[in-house]
Structure formats: C-alpha cells, structure tokens
Amino acid sequence: DGIGALAGSTIMLLTVPWGLSVFAGRVDILNGGTKPNYTKKPKLTADGGLTHTLFHTGVAVTDEISHGGVVMALTTIPYFLIQVPASFMHGPTED
C-alpha cells in the first residue's frame, strides 16, 4: 500500500516536470528531421497543428542526456535482481 503510493508519486513528480520541459523547450526540426532549429527565428512555427507538433518539433539530445539514460537503465538491474526471484516465492497468504 504505502510503498506503492510513494513510488508512484515519486515517478509522477519526476515525469511530469520532464514532460513539460520537453514540451516547452521544443523547436522546429529542420532538414528532414535531423537538425533542431535553435538559431533561426521563430524557433517554433505558430499554429502548426497537432501533426506538426508531434512529428516536426522536438529537442536535441546531447551526449550527457544519453549517458544519463544509460545510467538510469543500469540502476534498474538491482531492482530486477531482487524482484524476479521474489515473484517466484510463495509464502503464507492472508485470507
């Protein structure tokens, strides 16, 4: 009960600001989707519609961000080392 709520709220408190910052920091993607428009004005086309927002805008991913993603993925290994065997354990149950 309590630990699940704690984990869920922590994940939400990390994910929501991250998603909002990506949405607020997005710019148009130029050259067929390979180069973010950080230098030209305007950086974001107004009234591009939902399709334009989803498929033609974004943010650049630097090496530091990629490295952070790898570190986060690796930190899940200890969790799985404990959780996978625990899922096969069958102890007393409460009715």
Side-chain angles (χ1 to χ4, degrees):
D1 273 336
I3 196 69
L6 178 64
S9 64
T10 301
I11 291 168
M12 183 191 69
L13 289 172
L14 292 172
T15 304
V16 169
W18 173 81
L20 290 174
S21 66
V22 168
F23 183 77
R26 74 191 191 285
V27 297
D28 287 333
I29 304 294
L30 306 174
N31 298 335
T34 59
K35 185 177 183 219
N37 177 25
Y38 285 117
T39 57
K40 296 182 182 176
K41 302 246 181 206
K43 294 180 181 183
L44 189 60
T45 304
D47 300 326
L50 181 62
T51 304
H52 182 269
T53 299
L54 292 175
F55 297 107
H56 301 289
T57 63
V59 295
V61 178
T62 62
D63 290 336
E64 291 85 4
I65 294 171
S66 296
H67 177 71
V70 169
V71 169
M72 286 192 300
L74 291 175
T75 59
T76 63
I77 291 173
Y79 168 77
F80 287 113
L81 287 175
I82 295 170
Q83 189 62 38
V84 171
S87 66
F88 294 108
M89 300 283 294
H90 299 287
T93 59
E94 295 179 30
D95 292 22

